[in-house]
């Protein structure tokens, strides 16, 4: 019976020693191993053997990228407006030993450093500038925090401002200003549209008036040309009539009085035209003079008889 108890005790001791000796480190984690109270080594992922009662695991450090929410902070801007800023920090431990031994609490150190840096940066800006310069604020925060935490074995990957909340009265005033700006832009766009419409209508009327004037001028030119051609045709027709009368008189052997009478009748017919002025072609005047000459010849013949 005593031998069984001894075996059980020995087995328990072996299990305890194995538990204390063999350590399995998970992926993306490291163990900080101390020996007799001093830093001994950093155990990477996998199986690690330590000496019981001499070595112990001081800390388990994650090498993954981690996030930390900074509590919302009230910050006074350059123009004396108190705003609340909510920030998140993305960081990763690059040197586990420094992250454990160089600072009491890495997360607390990052948090306090972020708060003081935010107040320093935003305190130098106006309210409107804080809303329009988020990217610049994020970049400056990241650079400052990264430089400050480098000695702690930590790298700051990103800093993002999640929200900026001004006081309720300031927010109402900003909304009213924004609505006023929208209404102003709408009125400007409407006025610009009406102006462009008026210009377009005026240009259209101008072009229509120009085309109408050109059409009237073209119509008057063509009308005048038609009237001139009509007058010329009438004059030529009357000249032919005079010529025919002359030929008829010549064949009929008229006396002087009859020739004068027919000439006057021909001129009377020519003068009955629609035009105010009658242009007698050169051929017609020649025909009239020929009539006069014919009359003189007839007169001389009669006197000779």
């Amino acid at each position: 019976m005593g031998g069984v108890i001894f075996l059980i005790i020995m087995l328990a001791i072996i299990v305890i020693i194995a538990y204390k000796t063999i350590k399995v480190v998970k992926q993306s984690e490291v163990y900080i191993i101390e020996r007799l109270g001093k830093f001994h080594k950093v155990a990477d992922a996998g199986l690690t053997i330590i000496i019981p009662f001499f070595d112990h695991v001081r800390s388990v450090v994650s090498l993954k990228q981690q996030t930390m929410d900074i509590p919302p902070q009230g910050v006074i801007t350059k123009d004396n407006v108190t705003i609340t800023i909510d920030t998140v920090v993305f960081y990763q431990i690059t040197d586990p030993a420094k992250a454990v031994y160089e600072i009491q609490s890495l997360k607390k150190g990052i948090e306090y450093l972020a708060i003081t840096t935010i107040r320093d940066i935003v305190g130098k800006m106006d309210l409107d500038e804080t809303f329009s310069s988020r990217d610049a604020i994020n970049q400056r925060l990241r650079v400052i925090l990264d430089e400050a935490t480098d000695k702690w074995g930590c790298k700051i990957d990103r800093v993002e401002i999640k929200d900026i909340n001004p006081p309720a009265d300031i927010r109402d005033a900003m909304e009213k200003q924004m609505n006023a700006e929208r209404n102003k832009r709408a009125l400007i766009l409407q006025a610009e549209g009406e102006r462009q419409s008026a210009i377009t209508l005026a240009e259209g009327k101008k072009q229509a008036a120009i085309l109408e004037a050109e059409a009237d001028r073209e119509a008057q030119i063509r009308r005048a040309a038609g009237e001139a051609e009509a007058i010329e045709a009438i004059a030529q027709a009357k000249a032919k009539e005079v010529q025919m009368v002359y030929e008829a008189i010549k064949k009929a052997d008229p006396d002087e009085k009859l020739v004068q009478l027919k000439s006057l009748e021909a001129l009377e017919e020519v003068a009955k035209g629609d035009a105010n002025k009658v242009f007698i072609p050169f051929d017609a005047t020649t025909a009239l003079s020929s009539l006069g000459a014919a009359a003189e010849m007839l007169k001389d013949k009669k006197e000779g008889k």
Side-chain angles (χ1 to χ4, degrees):
M1 184 69 179
V4 174
I5 295 174
F6 178 75
L7 289 175
I8 292 174
I9 293 173
M10 290 299 295
L11 183 60
I13 293 173
I14 292 172
V15 170
I16 293 172
I17 292 173
Y19 176 76
K20 292 288 187 178
T21 303
I22 301 173
K23 298 293 182 181
V24 178
V25 183
K26 296 180 181 179
Q27 183 67 36
S28 299
E29 289 182 351
V30 294
Y31 284 5
I32 303 298
I33 307 297
E34 288 183 349
R35 176 170 292 176
L36 299 176
K38 293 178 61 176
F39 171 73
H40 176 57
K41 68 176 182 177
V42 176
D44 296 327
L47 187 64
T48 299
I49 304 298
I50 63 175
I51 301 174
F53 309 110
F54 289 92
D55 298 339
H56 78 280
V57 178
R58 163 68 186 274
S59 179
V60 179
V61 179
S62 175
L63 300 181
K64 297 178 182 178
Q65 187 178 70
Q66 302 178 57
T67 61
M68 183 174 60
D69 285 324
I70 306 298
Q73 299 297 315
V75 182
I76 300 176
T77 62
K78 185 179 179 180
D79 48 354
N80 296 322
V81 178
T82 302
I83 59 177
T84 302
I85 298 181
D86 193 4
T87 313
V88 60
V89 177
F90 297 83
Y91 70 96
Q92 187 174 17
I93 295 175
T94 57
D95 191 333
K98 287 184 178 181
V100 172
Y101 293 105
E102 295 294 334
I103 187 169
Q104 181 68 29
S105 173
L106 179 63
K107 288 189 175 182
K108 286 294 183 181
I110 295 174
E111 179 182 335
Y112 295 151
L113 187 61
I115 291 172
T116 56
T117 306
I118 290 171
R119 288 177 177 173
D120 179 63
I121 293 174
V122 177
K124 298 176 181 178
M125 295 182 174
D126 295 332
L127 177 62
D128 293 338
E129 190 177 359
T130 59
F131 287 102
S132 61
S133 304
R134 282 196 179 192
D135 291 339
I137 297 174
N138 293 337
Q139 182 63 20
R140 291 180 63 185
L141 276 172
R142 190 200 68 78
V143 172
I144 294 174
L145 291 178
D146 190 49
E147 291 178 355
T149 58
D150 183 64
K151 62 181 179 179
W152 300 337
C154 178
K155 177 177 177 56
I156 305 299
D157 294 324
R158 292 176 65 87
V159 178
E160 295 290 340
I161 294 178
K162 294 193 296 184
D163 197 11
I164 299 176
N165 292 318
D169 54 344
I170 299 296
R171 187 164 52 250
D172 293 339
M174 293 175 65
E175 290 177 357
K176 291 178 181 179
Q177 181 181 1
M178 190 178 300
N179 291 330
E181 289 293 333
R182 289 197 191 99
N183 294 333
K184 177 182 176 181
R185 287 196 296 268
L187 291 174
I188 291 174
L189 291 175
Q190 182 179 358
E192 183 66 20
E194 291 177 354
R195 187 178 72 86
Q196 291 294 335
S197 177
I199 291 174
T200 304
L201 290 175
E203 289 290 337
K205 290 180 180 179
K206 176 182 176 182
Q207 293 295 330
I210 292 173
L211 293 175
E212 185 178 359
E214 291 180 352
D216 291 341
R217 185 172 63 85
E218 185 69 22
Q220 291 177 1
I221 292 173
R222 294 188 178 185
R223 191 182 302 115
E227 291 177 355
E229 291 178 357
I231 293 172
E232 184 178 358
I234 292 172
Q236 291 179 357
K238 294 301 181 179
K240 289 182 180 179
E241 290 181 3
V242 172
Q243 185 67 27
M244 292 174 63
V245 171
Y246 169 72
E247 294 292 339
I249 292 172
K250 184 177 179 182
K251 291 180 180 179
D253 194 15
D255 56 8
E256 180 181 358
K257 292 182 179 181
L258 180 59
V259 171
Q260 294 177 356
L261 179 61
K262 292 298 183 181
S263 299
L264 292 174
E265 289 177 355
L267 290 176
E268 183 181 1
E269 291 296 328
V270 172
K272 288 181 180 180
D274 295 333
N276 294 328
K277 293 182 181 181
V278 178
F279 298 93
I280 300 176
F282 179 75
D283 294 339
T285 57
T286 305
L288 291 175
S289 62
S290 299
L291 288 175
E296 290 294 332
M297 291 175 62
L298 292 175
K299 181 178 179 181
D300 293 338
K301 287 181 179 180
K302 288 182 180 181
E303 288 178 356
K305 290 180 180 179

